[in-house]
Amino acid sequence: MEFQFASRMDQFQAGIFGVLDQKRREVEATGRKVYNLSIGTPDFQPAPHVMQALCDAAGDPENYKYALTELPELLEAVQNWYRTCYGVELEQDQIMSVYGSQEGLTHIGLAICDPGDVVLVPNPGYPIFEMGPMLCGAKIEYYELRPENGYLPDLDAIDPELARKAKMMVVSYPANPVCVAAPRSFYDKLIAFAKKYHIIIIHDNAYSKIIFDDHESMSFLSVPGAMEVGVEYNSLSKTYNLTGARISFVLGNREIIQKYRTLRSQIDYGIFLPVQKAAIAALNGPQEGVEEQRLAYQARRDALCGGFRSIGWNVPDSQGSMFVWAPIPEGYATSAEFCFDLLEKTGVLCTPGSAFGTLGEGHVRFALTKTPEEIAEIIQVVKAADMF
Ligand SMILES: Cc1ncc(COP(=O)(O)O)c(C=O)c1O
């Protein structure tokens, strides 16, 4: 039987990480060591008290029922956490759980956009920012992130006609893959822009707790006016290493949350209760581990960026996120070509910048998923290959 699949499937090709993984296996099959810095899965672990909370809850048969909604203690924990971390007051109806920001970002467009509505997304940017709205039938328009603007959008340069058409805009700092943080003054401008053109802002705050030097760990919602124009995603994947447990929150504008909740009530029976209990333990429990982890990421950043600079590769220090964004050396036509050459010569695997949009070309991304000792070894291996 011949199947006729949805035409929307025509926009998908094999994901880049599958291709990179195939390359990794090929190199490993030759007996060589591969240093995999391509994917952003944390190698840190959840705190023992968080895993214990999940295990305890998993031992209670009552916790296998549909959760349907958030436990009141979870909403309270999120309220307290936002107050303590960011100075933001939220009512409980301004908080909703999702199965990770990836899932939450995929579906929010269904509640906001009609087919053909314009959504502004960053180029380069994290792929789901465009994929989610695209799946909802929205029309994607890119705003540019360029190094000369500190990888912040030049809002004044966005065509007013386009801005008037835009219904939603996805923004995310500290930014994956470009690794910069945004100052408060940027958010003031963003909110004024959103109000002027009546655009809903979706802010993805996956890395507020992985931020370096004197950059501020902040919430978009702490900026005056933010609650009027948008919502924020805040995932427990990176902050507490609950990556595979799949829990994140969408928070902020009440009307947007309520509309999205109505949609989700048709498709979502609530997060597995043991995962909710783990999240409560993470948010309410001791927070020293979060700061220790931030410093550990910063030490890795120093080892990788500083190490590359010491061998002649001018890689800037990341300001936040668990990545490093490195310009490719001269002599390579594309970031993919450099990425595969680096893998062949050194066993070091990174991600071509082109995977994040046309303006990602010319860069590669490294994940900070190795210890400083392992990174020191990587620097020696790259130095020996004499590519810079
Ligand atoms: C910017 C950004 N947003 C969202 C995610 C996914 O988060 P979650 O695990 O909550 O789906 C990632 C994962 O790398 C990310 O880099």
Side-chain angles (χ1 to χ4, degrees):
M1 184 171 147
E2 234 184 75
F3 297 108
Q4 190 82 48
F5 289 107
S7 52
R8 77 169 65 84
M9 291 308 297
D10 300 346
Q11 61 204 328
F12 298 115
Q13 296 140 9
I16 182 69
F17 291 108
V19 176
L20 294 176
D21 206 49
Q22 176 60 28
K23 288 268 177 198
R24 174 188 66 78
R25 269 183 271 140
E26 282 166 22
V27 174
E28 274 176 351
T30 67
R32 294 198 38 221
K33 181 169 179 180
V34 170
Y35 304 89
N36 191 353
L37 301 180
S38 62
I39 271 200
T41 299
D43 59 321
F44 291 103
Q45 295 171 351
H49 70 276
V50 175
M51 291 190 282
Q52 192 59 54
L54 189 135
C55 290
D56 290 348
D60 180 352
E62 284 299 309
N63 287 333
Y64 289 79
K65 295 179 174 163
Y66 290 128
L68 294 179
T69 187
E70 298 84 9
L71 293 168
E73 308 90 282
L74 178 61
L75 293 174
E76 208 177 301
V78 174
Q79 284 178 299
N80 290 335
W81 195 80
Y82 252 73
R83 184 180 305 118
T84 312
C85 293
Y86 309 122
V88 171
E89 292 294 335
L90 293 164
E91 298 294 328
Q92 296 206 347
D93 61 357
Q94 293 178 284
I95 304 167
M96 183 169 59
S97 58
V98 291
Y99 296 93
S101 296
Q102 187 86 0
E103 181 274 316
L105 286 159
T106 305
H107 293 127
I108 195 165
L110 286 170
I112 295 176
C113 300
D114 282 319
D117 280 350
V118 170
V119 176
L120 300 173
V121 304
N123 178 13
Y126 183 63
I128 203 64
F129 296 162
E130 64 174 312
M131 203 52 75
M134 220 183 246
L135 284 172
C136 300
K139 183 170 185 302
I140 304 301
E141 296 282 354
Y142 299 97
Y143 63 85
E144 298 184 346
L145 302 185
R146 294 190 175 272
E148 55 271 30
N149 296 327
Y151 288 112
L152 297 172
D154 181 354
L155 297 172
D156 297 329
I158 295 177
D159 179 359
E161 205 173 315
L162 176 63
R164 266 191 291 277
K165 280 191 201 146
K167 191 159 193 189
M168 183 170 120
M169 177 174 184
V170 185
V171 179
S172 178
Y173 293 95
N176 174 13
V178 294
C179 303
V180 299
R184 267 179 191 276
S185 54
F186 163 71
Y187 289 106
D188 287 331
K189 283 190 208 140
L190 178 69
I191 290 163
F193 176 78
K195 284 185 175 171
K196 178 170 177 190
Y197 292 108
H198 209 77
I199 300 172
I200 291 173
I201 303 295
I202 309 291
H203 185 251
D204 182 14
N205 201 6
Y207 298 108
S208 72
K209 298 292 177 189
I210 310 180
I211 190 150
F212 309 134
D213 310 319
D214 52 0
H215 296 283
E216 184 190 2
S217 167
M218 63 172 285
S219 162
F220 160 67
L221 300 177
S222 68
V223 182
M227 302 269 196
E228 292 163 50
V229 299
V231 291
E232 172 162 280
Y233 281 89
N234 207 321
S235 172
L236 303 200
S237 287
K238 307 295 162 80
T239 303
Y240 295 105
N241 304 310
L242 286 173
T243 326
R246 313 306 299 135
I247 183 159
S248 171
F249 298 94
V250 53
L251 320 106
N253 184 277
R254 186 175 275 113
E255 233 182 304
I256 298 172
I257 305 275
Q258 281 180 0
K259 191 57 85 178
Y260 195 15
R261 194 182 277 286
T262 304
L263 171 79
R264 294 185 73 88
S265 70
Q266 301 294 322
I267 58 175
D268 171 9
Y269 284 162
I271 305 255
F272 185 40
L273 287 166
V275 172
Q276 296 202 33
K277 300 269 186 182
I280 294 167
L283 295 167
N284 284 348
Q287 301 295 307
E288 292 79 12
V290 176
E291 174 62 5
E292 279 164 23
Q293 179 175 286
R294 185 187 76 77
L295 292 171
Y297 273 120
Q298 188 166 291
R300 293 171 177 202
R301 185 276 316 253
D302 291 344
L304 196 66
C305 299
F308 280 144
R309 288 197 296 269
S310 75
I311 62 169
W313 188 3
N314 198 11
V315 175
D317 277 341
S318 306
Q319 299 174 359
S321 84
M322 55 179 293
F323 302 102
V324 163
W325 187 237
I328 61 173
E330 276 176 26
Y332 290 92
T334 66
S335 53
E337 185 188 312
F338 170 71
C339 174
F340 296 138
D341 197 39
L342 184 71
L343 176 64
E344 245 152 60
K345 291 187 172 138
T346 67
V348 176
L349 182 59
C350 58
T351 305
S354 53
F356 303 99
T358 53
L359 294 181
E361 189 50 274
H363 283 73
V364 289
R365 190 196 75 174
F366 293 91
L368 293 169
T369 49
K370 303 279 180 208
T371 64
E373 294 71 29
E374 290 168 309
I375 291 173
E377 185 182 322
I378 288 168
I379 300 296
Q380 288 317 308
V381 171
V382 175
K383 183 178 180 195
D386 202 18
M387 295 170 76
F388 301 98

